[in-house]
Amino acid sequence: MSALVLLLLTSTAVGPSTVVSEVLGSPRNVSLTSYNMNLVLRWEPPEGITDNVIYTTQLKPSGGQIKEACVNVSTLQCDITNLGITIFQFARYTGAVRAVSGSRSSNWVYSNNLTMDEHTIIGPPAVSLVSSGVDIEVSITDPVFSISELRRVYSTITYSIIYWKEGQKEQAKNISKIQQNRVSLSGLDPTTKYCVQVRVDVDPGRNRSPGQLSDPVCESTTNEGAAPWVEGVVVFVTMAATVAMVVLGVVYHKRIKHFFCPKDRLPAHFIEKLLAHPNIPIQISDPPKETCNQLTMITDEGTVEELHPLEAVQAHCSQPDVTVEET
């Protein structure tokens, strides 16, 4: 009798008028990550479901109010840094995500707790090399953070430098606890290519993740004899020669001008003859004086006429006057 009553009660509870809500599978492997002080929530889709699923995410600071992050997105991550939500470099956060497909939705799935300054991954610095003889100068630039700056978040910052001859990384040398962002690697072999990687190190008590190494950057040393002072001597000699030429040009500018642009010019007929007979040697000397006299003519009638030379020609006359009698 009791079994019959139980059977009737069960049939009534799940009758045709009862609607059973189907719950969607939950997102998997939900994680909150940080790289160079950004904040990204990542997840995987519910098991067995890949199409027609959208997601809504939330961010909850420790001791604060839940904030809505990405809403109705189809991607499998949410970059919370770019949503205009205020993020503090020393705060602790937790993320949550829920899947929705049609009228079905999953339960909220919460991520790990993340403290920004303790868990953010510090990216590689920018590195440049300059060769100076057998030394190589390494210049380091801190990575750029999404919020704040490296030296505002961490008070103790050092660098680790790893360098090796190209093709011999297994024999790499390591220099750690460097505080300067410009370091000279000395005692290297001449005319040899070296490769360098650099990592940012902070106080392990402040960050549990080691900094990432930069990509290898390579540079060749030069000949040991090619010291930097050689370049200085070359520059000095060049400048001294230039100054000397300028001084000589100022002091002897008239002579130089007369040499290239003489005042005296050859007569036109002389130039024509010179061009017509280039192989005939020509001697240039003062022209001889012309002989020109004043003439006095006596005619049959007894008249006298004086003939005067032109004034331009008279200047060259050197002979006495001559009298001519006409018969």
Coordinates of all heavy atoms in Angstrom, one line a residue, residues 27-59:
P27 N 31.7 27.3 -18.7 CA 33.1 27.4 -19.3 C 34.1 26.7 -18.4 O 34.0 26.6 -17.2 CB 33.2 29.0 -19.3 CG 31.9 29.5 -19.2 CD 31.1 28.5 -18.4
R28 N 35.2 26.4 -19.1 CA 36.3 25.6 -18.4 C 37.6 26.4 -18.3 O 37.8 27.3 -19.1 CB 36.5 24.3 -19.1 CG 35.3 23.3 -19.1 CD 35.5 22.2 -20.1 NE 35.7 22.6 -21.4 CZ 36.4 22.0 -22.3 NH1 37.1 20.8 -22.0 NH2 36.6 22.4 -23.6
N29 N 38.4 26.0 -17.4 CA 39.8 26.6 -17.3 C 39.8 28.1 -17.3 O 40.5 28.7 -18.1 CB 40.7 26.0 -18.4 CG 40.8 24.5 -18.3 OD1 40.8 23.9 -17.3 ND2 40.9 23.9 -19.5
V30 N 39.0 28.7 -16.4 CA 38.9 30.1 -16.3 C 40.1 30.6 -15.6 O 40.4 30.2 -14.5 CB 37.6 30.5 -15.7 CG1 37.5 32.1 -15.6 CG2 36.4 30.0 -16.4
S31 N 40.8 31.6 -16.1 CA 42.0 32.1 -15.5 C 42.1 33.6 -15.7 O 41.8 34.1 -16.8 CB 43.3 31.4 -16.0 OG 43.4 31.7 -17.4
L32 N 42.6 34.3 -14.7 CA 42.8 35.7 -14.7 C 44.4 35.9 -14.8 O 45.1 35.4 -13.9 CB 42.3 36.4 -13.5 CG 42.2 38.0 -13.5 CD1 41.3 38.5 -14.7 CD2 41.7 38.5 -12.2
T33 N 44.8 36.6 -15.9 CA 46.3 36.8 -16.1 C 46.6 38.2 -16.2 O 45.8 39.1 -16.5 CB 46.7 36.0 -17.3 OG1 46.0 36.6 -18.5 CG2 46.4 34.5 -17.2
S34 N 47.9 38.5 -16.0 CA 48.4 39.9 -16.2 C 49.8 39.9 -16.8 O 50.7 39.1 -16.4 CB 48.5 40.6 -14.8 OG 49.0 41.9 -15.0
Y35 N 50.0 40.7 -17.8 CA 51.3 40.8 -18.5 C 51.6 42.3 -18.6 O 50.9 43.1 -19.2 CB 51.2 40.2 -19.9 CG 52.5 40.3 -20.7 CD1 53.5 39.4 -20.5 CD2 52.7 41.3 -21.6 CE1 54.7 39.4 -21.2 CE2 53.9 41.4 -22.4 CZ 54.9 40.4 -22.2 OH 56.0 40.5 -22.9
N36 N 52.7 42.7 -18.0 CA 53.1 44.2 -18.0 C 51.9 45.0 -17.5 O 51.6 46.1 -18.1 CB 53.6 44.6 -19.4 CG 55.0 44.2 -19.7 OD1 55.7 43.8 -18.8 ND2 55.3 44.3 -21.0
M37 N 51.3 44.5 -16.4 CA 50.3 45.3 -15.7 C 49.0 45.4 -16.5 O 48.2 46.4 -16.2 CB 50.8 46.6 -15.2 CG 51.6 46.6 -14.0 SD 50.6 46.2 -12.6 CE 51.9 45.8 -11.3
N38 N 48.7 44.5 -17.4 CA 47.4 44.5 -18.0 C 46.6 43.5 -17.2 O 47.1 42.8 -16.3 CB 47.4 44.2 -19.5 CG 47.8 42.8 -19.8 OD1 48.2 42.0 -18.9 ND2 47.7 42.4 -21.1
L39 N 45.3 43.3 -17.6 CA 44.4 42.3 -16.9 C 43.5 41.7 -17.9 O 42.7 42.4 -18.5 CB 43.6 43.1 -15.8 CG 42.9 42.2 -14.7 CD1 44.0 41.4 -14.0 CD2 42.2 43.1 -13.7
V40 N 43.7 40.4 -18.1 CA 42.9 39.6 -19.1 C 42.3 38.4 -18.5 O 43.0 37.6 -17.8 CB 43.9 39.3 -20.3 CG1 43.1 38.5 -21.3 CG2 44.5 40.5 -20.9
L41 N 41.0 38.2 -18.7 CA 40.3 37.0 -18.3 C 40.2 36.0 -19.5 O 39.7 36.4 -20.5 CB 38.9 37.3 -17.7 CG 38.1 36.2 -17.2 CD1 38.8 35.6 -15.9 CD2 36.7 36.7 -16.8
R42 N 40.6 34.8 -19.3 CA 40.6 33.8 -20.4 C 39.8 32.5 -19.9 O 39.8 32.2 -18.7 CB 42.0 33.4 -20.8 CG 42.8 34.5 -21.5 CD 44.2 34.0 -21.9 NE 44.9 35.0 -22.7 CZ 45.6 36.0 -22.2 NH1 45.8 36.1 -20.9 NH2 46.2 36.8 -23.1
W43 N 39.2 31.8 -20.9 CA 38.5 30.6 -20.6 C 38.4 29.7 -21.8 O 38.8 30.1 -22.9 CB 37.1 30.9 -20.1 CG 36.3 31.7 -21.1 CD1 35.4 31.2 -22.0 CD2 36.2 33.1 -21.2 NE1 34.9 32.2 -22.8 CE2 35.3 33.4 -22.3 CE3 36.8 34.2 -20.6 CZ2 35.0 34.7 -22.7 CZ3 36.5 35.5 -21.0 CH2 35.6 35.7 -22.1
E44 N 37.9 28.5 -21.6 CA 37.6 27.6 -22.7 C 36.1 27.3 -22.8 O 35.4 27.5 -21.8 CB 38.3 26.3 -22.5 CG 39.8 26.4 -22.6 CD 40.5 25.1 -22.4 OE1 39.8 24.1 -22.3 OE2 41.8 25.1 -22.4
P45 N 35.5 27.0 -23.9 CA 34.0 26.8 -24.1 C 33.6 25.6 -23.3 O 34.4 24.7 -22.9 CB 33.8 26.6 -25.6 CG 35.1 26.1 -26.1 CD 36.2 26.8 -25.2
P46 N 32.3 25.5 -23.0 CA 31.7 24.4 -22.3 C 32.0 23.1 -23.1 O 32.1 23.1 -24.3 CB 30.2 24.6 -22.2 CG 30.1 26.1 -22.4 CD 31.2 26.6 -23.2
E47 N 32.2 22.0 -22.4 CA 32.5 20.8 -23.1 C 31.4 20.3 -24.0 O 30.2 20.3 -23.7 CB 32.7 19.7 -22.0 CG 33.3 18.4 -22.6 CD 33.7 17.4 -21.5 OE1 33.5 17.7 -20.3 OE2 34.2 16.3 -21.9
G48 N 31.8 20.0 -25.3 CA 30.8 19.6 -26.3 C 30.1 20.7 -27.0 O 29.2 20.4 -27.8
I49 N 30.3 21.9 -26.6 CA 29.6 23.1 -27.2 C 30.6 24.1 -27.8 O 31.4 24.6 -27.0 CB 28.6 23.7 -26.2 CG1 27.6 22.7 -25.7 CG2 27.9 24.9 -26.9 CD1 26.7 23.3 -24.6
T50 N 30.5 24.4 -29.0 CA 31.4 25.4 -29.6 C 30.7 26.4 -30.4 O 31.2 27.5 -30.6 CB 32.4 24.6 -30.6 OG1 31.6 23.9 -31.6 CG2 33.3 23.7 -29.8
D51 N 29.4 26.2 -30.9 CA 28.7 27.2 -31.7 C 27.6 27.8 -31.0 O 27.0 27.2 -30.0 CB 28.2 26.5 -33.0 CG 29.3 25.9 -33.9 OD1 30.4 26.4 -33.8 OD2 29.0 24.9 -34.5
N52 N 27.2 29.0 -31.4 CA 26.1 29.8 -30.9 C 26.2 29.9 -29.4 O 25.2 29.8 -28.6 CB 24.8 29.0 -31.2 CG 24.6 28.9 -32.7 OD1 24.9 29.8 -33.5 ND2 24.1 27.8 -33.2
V53 N 27.4 30.3 -28.9 CA 27.6 30.5 -27.5 C 28.2 31.9 -27.3 O 29.2 32.3 -28.0 CB 28.5 29.5 -26.9 CG1 28.7 29.7 -25.4 CG2 27.9 28.1 -27.0
I54 N 27.6 32.7 -26.4 CA 28.2 34.0 -26.1 C 28.5 34.0 -24.6 O 28.0 33.2 -23.8 CB 27.2 35.1 -26.4 CG1 25.9 35.0 -25.8 CG2 27.1 35.3 -28.0 CD1 24.9 36.1 -26.1
Y55 N 29.3 35.0 -24.2 CA 29.8 35.0 -22.8 C 29.7 36.4 -22.2 O 29.8 37.4 -22.9 CB 31.3 34.5 -22.8 CG 31.5 33.2 -23.4 CD1 31.9 33.1 -24.7 CD2 31.4 32.0 -22.6 CE1 32.1 31.8 -25.3 CE2 31.6 30.8 -23.2 CZ 32.0 30.7 -24.5 OH 32.2 29.5 -25.1
T56 N 29.5 36.4 -20.9 CA 29.4 37.6 -20.1 C 30.4 37.5 -19.0 O 30.4 36.4 -18.3 CB 28.0 37.9 -19.6 OG1 27.1 38.1 -20.7 CG2 28.0 39.1 -18.7
T57 N 31.2 38.5 -18.7 CA 32.2 38.4 -17.7 C 32.0 39.5 -16.6 O 31.4 40.5 -16.9 CB 33.6 38.6 -18.3 OG1 33.7 39.9 -18.9 CG2 33.8 37.5 -19.3
Q58 N 32.6 39.3 -15.5 CA 32.6 40.2 -14.4 C 34.0 40.3 -13.7 O 34.8 39.3 -13.8 CB 31.6 39.8 -13.3 CG 30.1 39.8 -13.7 CD 29.2 39.3 -12.7 OE1 29.6 38.7 -11.7 NE2 27.9 39.6 -12.8
L59 N 34.2 41.4 -13.0 CA 35.5 41.6 -12.3 C 35.1 42.0 -10.9 O 34.4 43.0 -10.7 CB 36.4 42.6 -13.0 CG 37.7 42.9 -12.3 CD1 38.6 41.6 -12.4 CD2 38.4 44.1 -12.9

